[in-house]
Amino acid sequence: MSGARYDLPEIDDFTRPYWDAAAEGRLLLRRCGDCGRAHHYPREFCPHCWAGEDRVAWEAASGRATLYTWSVVHRNDLPPFGARVPYAAAVVDLAEGSRMMTEVVDCDAADLRIGMPLTVTFREAADGVRVAVFRPAQGQSSSRTQEPSAARR
């Protein structure tokens, strides 16, 4: 594909550990040594207590999350998103306590539910660049195959 792409990160010295881990299929977070809270997107300081970069470190995330909210995008003129529509842009609550903007894949939009368990997977955006997206956790049934709630009682 030639021309501008709007799905590629701007990798710098600070974010390189995050993108290197993603290329290996691992999700990293930053955690504050002062207040103990994790955050995402990566920042050099703690956005919760403002501790400096010497107090915040990278750590491996579990890859588990729950769906907080989503919106199905039916039109996007920015390359390469137009080729993917419709897609589910989402915010997930990571098991470690922070929120992350992402996309839910491998799931019909009609099956998305607030609180549904998700697991991280990675999509190749360019040669050597992979981005974290989420899919339903194993064992999650489609809403079309679940019994009605009255039948489960």
Side-chain angles (χ1 to χ4, degrees), residues 66-91:
T66 57
L67 185 59
Y68 176 74
T69 191
W70 76 94
S71 179
V72 178
V73 178
H74 293 277
R75 180 178 176 154
N76 188 333
D77 296 329
L78 298 174
F81 298 105
R84 289 192 212 139
V85 294
Y87 62 89
V91 177

Side-chain angles (χ1 to χ4, degrees), residues 35-103:
C35 72
R37 294 177 69 183
H39 62 271
H40 185 83
Y41 64 92
R43 285 162 273 195
E44 293 173 329
F45 62 93
C46 176
H48 305 291
C49 73
W50 296 92
E53 66 182 294
D54 61 324
R55 300 296 303 141
V56 183
W58 294 104
E59 76 173 36
S62 68
R64 295 186 327 269
T66 57
L67 185 59
Y68 176 74
T69 191
W70 76 94
S71 179
V72 178
V73 178
H74 293 277
R75 180 178 176 154
N76 188 333
D77 296 329
L78 298 174
F81 298 105
R84 289 192 212 139
V85 294
Y87 62 89
V91 177
V92 300
D93 286 329
L94 299 174
E96 291 77 13
S98 60
R99 285 201 171 131
M100 178 178 178
M101 293 182 66
T102 187
E103 182 180 341

Side-chain angles (χ1 to χ4, degrees), residues 14 40 85 112 129:
F14 171 69
H40 185 83
V85 294
L112 295 171
V129 178

